[in-house]
Amino acid sequence: MPEDLTPAHPVRAAILGTGGVARLHAEAVAGLDGVELVGVADASLERAAEFAARHGGPSVHPDLAALLEGARPDVVHLCTPPAGHAGQAAAAFAAGADVIVEKPPALSLVEFDRMQADARVAGRRLAVVFQQRSGSAVRHVKRLLDDGALGRPLVALCETLWRRGADYYAVPWRGTWAAEGGGPTFGLAVHQLDLLAHLLGEWSEADGRFWRIANDLEMEDVSRGTIVFESGVVANAVTTTLAARETSRLRIDTELATLELEHLYGHANANWRITPAAGVDPALAATWAFPAEEEASGHDALLGEVYRAIAAGDPVPPVLADPARAFEIVTAMHVAAATGRPLRRSELADPALRGPLHAPVEVR
Ligand SMILES: NC(=O)c1ccc[n+]([C@@H]2O[C@H](COP(=O)([O-])OP(=O)(O)OC[C@H]3O[C@@H](n4cnc5c(N)ncnc54)[C@H](O)[C@@H]3O)[C@@H](O)[C@H]2O)c1
């Protein structure tokens, strides 16, 4: 139980959008002492009412304006499709609320820049849900990498090998550039790319290619990207929605060890493995062991950190730093696919390159 949250003065939470992902938000809030779900709203009032009945009976509203007016939340969770996030965040900030927004936070970097500026001007927090960064195993691994305990990181692999069919794309906002903002590299692989970049730090150069080999959507079902980090690490990322055995994999080879993660949508100690290189002193390798006390990754862990910061009056916690990094990498992959050459991070300062994603998709 978070010590910083005081039940006597509960933080008032509200959820906009009561579809698929909203349940994870409501459950995380219910698990936090000192946070109360006071209102929900959805374009489908019926869906919102059913959701409220399952999650403690918060007030039910038809839209964001009514939610802000009627429930007076301190924090609004945006669990709506990405096209609405920027405008909804601006309205919530104007009403004095902090915002927790689901990934992807916006349809383009330029839109996300505006959301971050809106938060700054309003003096409110903007937290983006990249829950793969959360949990005790990532904290441990990041500390080992940051402290140099594994030696210099050299090479990495980042794989999102998932399967998505017609049922997944039946939701009205998925599968088009206009409504979803990008394909599976943007909408799905961004989780693994975000974790990779959370662990390896700032990137300097990226390229990408996108293919459509089996589906009939506007965007890719296979992509490949090479990302070079400022540290010199070269990472290759492969994404597909055509995998029969689904998995999410990350591998980082350092001077002293191979660090591996295999999971699907979430991880804990058992999903990670650190293999020492030949000749590494076993006594040194023993110091890399994962702590026995363990917290799995996920919405519970991430939102717990966010609410502890809110209750303490702190800014968003360090686990949420650099929320645009994976978004930038995917954008660079798209620009590189269009221009046929790798893009340097400094080139992304050009506002013309921060607009909506439109990679040329090679149809096979
Ligand atoms: N972090 C994760 O692991 C994860 C997992 C799934 C989805 N997501 C993200 O969460 C967001 C929502 O995805 P989902 O799968 O829950 O979608 P969904 O389609 O299941 O639910 C979206 C809900 O928002 C409602 N809605 C749409 N526009 C609205 C508006 N203007 N006002 C009020 N309600 C509105 C819809 O009626 C629907 O009930 C997306 O950005 C998605 O990428 C994140």
Side-chain angles (χ1 to χ4, degrees), residues 3-354:
E3 315 87 41
D4 300 331
L5 300 175
T6 48
H9 302 95
V11 179
R12 299 171 63 81
I15 297 178
L16 182 72
T18 54
V21 83
R23 174 181 64 80
L24 300 176
H25 289 250
E27 289 174 357
V29 165
L32 290 169
D33 226 25
V35 186
E36 192 184 341
L37 182 62
V38 294
V40 297
D42 195 285
S44 159
L45 202 53
E46 192 186 347
R47 192 174 303 146
E50 282 169 12
F51 185 90
R54 281 196 305 277
H55 296 285
S59 59
V60 176
H61 306 269
D63 55 33
L64 177 58
L67 179 68
L68 293 170
E69 172 85 22
R72 291 173 293 101
D74 301 309
V75 182
V76 177
H77 296 237
L78 298 180
C79 298
T80 44
H85 289 167
Q88 292 157 0
F93 294 144
D98 291 324
V99 168
I100 298 173
V101 62
E102 265 299 346
K103 55 60 52 183
L107 293 181
S108 66
L109 278 174
V110 80
E111 200 176 58
F112 188 48
D113 294 341
R114 201 168 63 237
M115 286 171 77
Q116 292 186 290
D118 288 347
R120 270 194 304 276
V121 168
R124 306 313 320 169
R125 299 172 189 84
L126 174 62
V128 182
V129 178
F130 279 124
Q131 79 273 16
Q132 299 298 334
R133 298 176 178 197
S134 66
S136 53
V138 174
R139 263 198 304 279
H140 175 68
V141 161
K142 184 161 169 54
R143 201 175 309 120
L144 291 178
L145 288 166
D146 288 352
D147 292 351
L150 303 177
R152 190 182 146 211
L154 303 167
V155 181
L157 298 173
C158 177
E159 297 172 325
T160 302
L161 312 179
W162 293 4
R163 192 173 185 85
R164 293 291 183 272
D167 54 336
Y168 177 80
Y169 286 105
V171 176
W173 60 271
R174 289 204 185 106
T176 63
W177 294 111
E180 193 174 3
T185 313
F186 177 63
L188 303 176
V190 73
H191 279 299
Q192 287 297 114
L193 289 166
D194 179 72
L195 177 55
L196 178 82
H198 179 61
L199 293 175
L200 291 179
E202 201 53 274
W203 64 286
S204 59
E205 186 182 301
D207 73 4
R209 277 182 76 179
F210 298 79
W211 296 268
R212 191 169 71 233
I213 61 177
N215 74 25
D216 56 3
L217 302 169
E218 292 176 13
M219 50 268 290
E220 80 278 7
D221 47 27
V222 182
S223 76
R224 195 268 316 145
T226 300
I227 305 119
V228 182
F229 286 83
E230 280 186 351
S231 62
V233 177
V234 176
N236 267 299
V238 175
T239 301
T240 186
T241 47
L242 306 175
R245 185 179 83 78
E246 297 184 279
T247 189
S248 313
R249 271 201 297 251
L250 210 63
R251 173 178 169 134
I252 301 172
D253 283 281
T254 71
E255 285 173 319
L256 298 179
T258 295
L259 177 63
E260 290 168 280
L261 166 66
E262 179 153 14
H263 68 118
L264 190 52
Y265 302 134
H267 46 81
N269 287 1
N271 300 98
W272 293 82
R273 186 163 58 153
I274 306 178
T275 309
V280 168
D281 182 349
L284 174 65
T287 66
W288 304 336
F290 287 84
E293 197 175 320
E294 150 176 48
E295 176 191 41
S297 71
H299 283 72
D300 288 358
L302 194 80
L303 296 180
E305 296 217 34
V306 174
Y307 274 103
R308 277 192 286 283
I310 289 172
D314 292 340
V316 286
V319 69
L320 294 176
D322 304 308
R325 194 175 277 159
F327 202 155
E328 287 177 359
I329 289 171
V330 177
T331 303
M333 287 172 60
H334 280 72
V335 174
T339 58
R341 67 166 182 85
L343 191 85
R344 291 189 306 281
R345 187 168 66 89
S346 56
E347 295 178 87
L348 262 191
D350 179 352
L353 301 183
R354 300 179 77 79

